[in-house]
Amino acid sequence: MKRSTVVRRSLSLLLLAAILTLAGCSSFTTLVRSGMEGVPAWVYEPQVSNSQLAFVGQGVDAGVFNARLLAFEDILSQLSSYIGEDVSERYYRELSTTEAIASLRLRITQEHVKTDGGRNIVHLLAAGDANLLAQARTEAYNAMLDRQERISAILAQADAAYRHNRDFEAISLYADAAVIASEGNVERKDYRFDVLVGKIESFVSALKISVSKVDGTVPTATVTVRRTSRLLPPKVMGASILASFDARNGMGEAYVDRVKFNTASNGSFQFRPTNPGMAGNGEILFTVDVEDAIARLEHAAGSDSVSALKALVEESGERFAYRRVSPVASAGTLVDIMEFTLQGALRDSSIASDRLVVEYGYDGLSLTQVFSQEQEEEDFFSELKRDYPGYRFLIYGRAGVSDVLSMGGGHTALVNGSVALFDLTDGSVVKDTGDIRIVTWNVDTEAAVDEAFRRFGLIASSLLDDKLY
């Protein structure tokens, strides 16, 4: 045999021996694959002790730093799948900053960075304690079973409530179950968060609000809630409904008031507004009130989880138009609020009266201002009865400047007084505002005083509101 042939065979045997030695740690296929792709063999066959479990994470990004973060996320995703619940949020900060998770005795043992076409490919090998990971897996499984048991008990109550036409109780209970489902993994598909929320959506979409026996001059109405999913729609007991309408507060600022009502055992309630600041004309909007359930679901899973439910609530709206009629204003009402200076002299102004008339004008009420110089009440009433025989009511008040102080580079004006609604037929007081005290500030003294009288008229109008209708 030639010497060259012997040498070639010897080299082949040595190479085969080296390959077989390496194959003791990783398979031949893995070695070939890793060699071709330029990554270590542990990327495909991580070698750890029998007391450990391995997780290999990969991250790809233009920057090495971001690629490493993505590799950490990949490891946590695998860890979540193994344990049976999402632990990414729980462990991300610890793993990405310390490269370890102390409670699982897990740490990053290997790292490899490869650059390919302007991208950085990072592989990380994490090894964790097998017993601790198994324990975490068992605890997660037991927690999942506990969640399912709690959900099952709640849904049994919810289904019983629904059978007895207490739909809103069922909705609230389904929301409770969904919040529990959001806490972690569940095996039963019908117990998943999205499925339970979908059930709530089906409950809400089946509700129908109807309005009858409307009297738009008060306004009043009978509101009924039914479930439309049956041939004979049952009336819903204990339904929570929001009534929304325009109103003005004591400072004359417009806002939307929302008042909650609940249906009785007959599935209905009588709507009658109790807000004296309600706008004189407009619309009453009735919508399904599941705000509490929405708030709990949104807190558990974010705003996207309840967007469809919110849309269904808006679609549930039913409304009616109204135009309030004031028996006081229609019977003829006079207005005179006398204004006095700090020295007690009658001012030649009607700022308070003007503001009060404007405020009621927003509601379509027409009041007649009078400008009497008569300060004696008995003579004043006699004058009005003589000069305005067709009027039944009078809004009469007295307001005066009680102090003016220099303060903060300007002036503070204090105005106090009271206003009352009188029935001119017998001189009786229908409503008295009681003492009204106003404090304003302005760099100009006269401006501060005028503003105080303006606010006086504004507050007086809000305090008399409930007696004008």
Side-chain angles (χ1 to χ4, degrees):
M1 182 180 294
K2 294 182 179 179
R3 179 176 175 80
S4 59
T5 302
V6 173
V7 171
R8 281 197 300 271
R9 286 182 177 177
S10 298
L11 290 174
S12 297
L13 290 172
L14 287 172
L15 179 59
L16 179 61
I19 291 173
L20 291 173
T21 301
L22 290 171
C25 297
S26 299
S27 68
F28 180 74
T29 302
T30 298
L31 290 172
V32 173
R33 181 182 178 186
S34 64
M36 292 179 63
E37 296 184 7
V39 296
W42 56 259
V43 169
Y44 303 109
E45 287 188 20
Q47 302 297 319
V48 295
S49 69
N50 292 334
S51 63
Q52 292 181 312
L53 290 178
F55 304 90
V56 177
Q58 174 181 290
V60 181
D61 193 86
V64 174
F65 180 78
N66 287 337
R68 292 186 84 249
L69 294 180
L70 292 173
F72 286 132
E73 290 180 7
D74 190 18
I75 289 172
L76 290 171
S77 177
Q78 296 173 48
L79 192 60
S80 297
S81 296
Y82 176 82
I83 291 176
E85 66 176 356
D86 190 354
V87 297
S88 298
E89 186 175 345
R90 186 189 313 169
Y91 293 132
Y92 178 77
R93 181 175 177 81
E94 181 182 4
L95 181 62
S96 62
T97 56
T98 67
E99 298 190 358
I101 299 175
S103 61
L104 300 176
R105 292 180 188 167
L106 180 146
R107 64 187 181 89
I108 303 299
T109 60
Q110 298 283 351
E111 177 177 355
H112 181 267
V113 180
K114 172 187 173 183
T115 301
D116 182 12
R119 301 181 309 160
N120 289 289
I121 304 171
V122 174
H123 288 96
L124 299 175
L125 172 61
D129 187 287
N131 289 331
L132 291 176
L133 287 165
Q135 181 180 338
R137 191 176 192 177
T138 302
E139 290 173 354
Y141 182 74
N142 290 336
M144 183 270 293
L145 293 178
D146 177 66
R147 276 191 294 275
Q148 292 194 159
E149 287 178 8
R150 286 186 289 151
I151 290 172
S152 178
I154 291 173
L155 294 187
Q157 297 177 52
D159 293 341
Y162 195 72
R163 288 194 300 272
H164 290 87
N165 301 330
R166 300 195 304 272
D167 297 41
F168 282 71
E169 182 181 339
I171 288 170
S172 181
L173 287 167
Y174 263 84
D176 291 340
V179 169
I180 294 173
S182 72
E183 294 172 358
N185 186 43
V186 289
E187 278 186 333
R188 291 189 54 167
K189 292 182 179 180
D190 55 337
Y191 286 3
R192 292 201 321 246
F193 178 87
D194 59 331
V195 174
L196 295 173
V197 172
K199 192 72 172 179
I200 295 173
E201 292 169 2
S202 70
F203 289 161
V204 172
S205 64
L207 296 171
K208 172 64 177 177
I209 301 171
S210 60
V211 181
S212 60
K213 299 179 182 178
V214 174
D215 182 352
T217 64
V218 177
T220 59
T222 299
V223 180
T224 304
V225 182
R226 288 182 173 86
R227 186 196 308 158
T228 61
S229 57
R230 296 182 185 174
L231 183 61
L232 295 175
K235 294 179 179 180
V236 179
M237 299 168 52
S240 183
I241 301 297
L242 273 178
S244 305
F245 50 84
D246 292 333
R248 296 173 69 81
N249 63 22
M251 296 303 296
E253 299 166 333
Y255 71 102
V256 176
D257 193 13
R258 305 198 314 157
V259 184
K260 291 186 180 183
F261 293 87
N262 290 94
T263 60
S265 57
N266 64 353
S268 302
F269 66 87
Q270 294 300 121
F271 170 78
R272 188 182 186 95
T274 57
N275 183 349
M278 181 181 190
N281 59 82
E283 284 188 330
I284 311 294
L285 171 65
F286 298 102
T287 53
V288 169
D289 173 28
V290 289
E291 287 187 338
D292 179 67
I294 288 176
R296 283 182 283 139
L297 295 171
E298 189 168 16
H299 182 265
S303 58
D304 289 345
S305 68
V306 293
S307 58
L309 183 55
K310 287 182 177 179
L312 288 172
V313 169
E314 292 183 6
E315 293 171 9
S316 74
E318 188 69 22
R319 65 188 74 215
F320 75 90
Y322 72 92
R323 181 175 291 276
R324 301 173 80 189
V325 174
S326 168
V328 172
S330 58
T333 302
L334 304 172
V335 178
D336 189 8
I337 301 176
M338 293 182 176
E339 301 174 8
F340 295 89
T341 66
L342 182 60
Q343 292 73 31
L346 183 64
R347 282 166 48 101
D348 184 20
S349 66
S350 58
I351 295 173
S353 295
D354 293 343
R355 185 69 254 175
L356 183 143
V357 170
V358 167
E359 283 299 309
Y360 287 135
Y362 288 133
D363 293 336
L365 304 185
S366 180
L367 309 180
T368 301
Q369 283 185 258
V370 295
F371 304 95
S372 175
Q373 298 293 314
E374 182 57 63
Q375 298 186 37
E376 292 296 329
E377 192 170 289
E378 185 176 339
D379 295 336
F380 174 68
F381 275 62
S382 298
E383 177 186 308
L384 293 183
K385 288 181 180 180
R386 182 187 69 244
D387 296 342
Y388 301 93
Y391 288 78
R392 179 178 174 182
F393 294 98
L394 165 69
I395 296 175
Y396 173 70
R398 299 164 69 93
V401 180
S402 57
D403 208 349
V404 175
L405 304 171
S406 297
M407 185 180 296
H411 304 278
T412 297
L414 290 80
V415 167
N416 68 285
S418 64
V419 178
L421 174 63
F422 290 89
D423 188 332
L424 291 174
T425 58
D426 57 9
S428 62
V429 176
V430 180
K431 174 70 180 287
D432 192 323
T433 65
D435 193 30
I436 300 173
R437 298 177 180 271
I438 303 295
V439 179
T440 59
W441 180 94
N442 198 289
V443 293
D444 179 74
T445 304
E446 194 62 29
V449 171
D450 288 350
E451 176 62 15
F453 280 115
R454 188 192 71 82
R455 291 190 187 180
F456 183 93
L458 183 65
I459 297 299
S461 69
S462 69
L463 294 174
L464 295 176
D465 263 339
D466 62 333
K467 292 299 181 182
L468 262 70
Y469 291 98

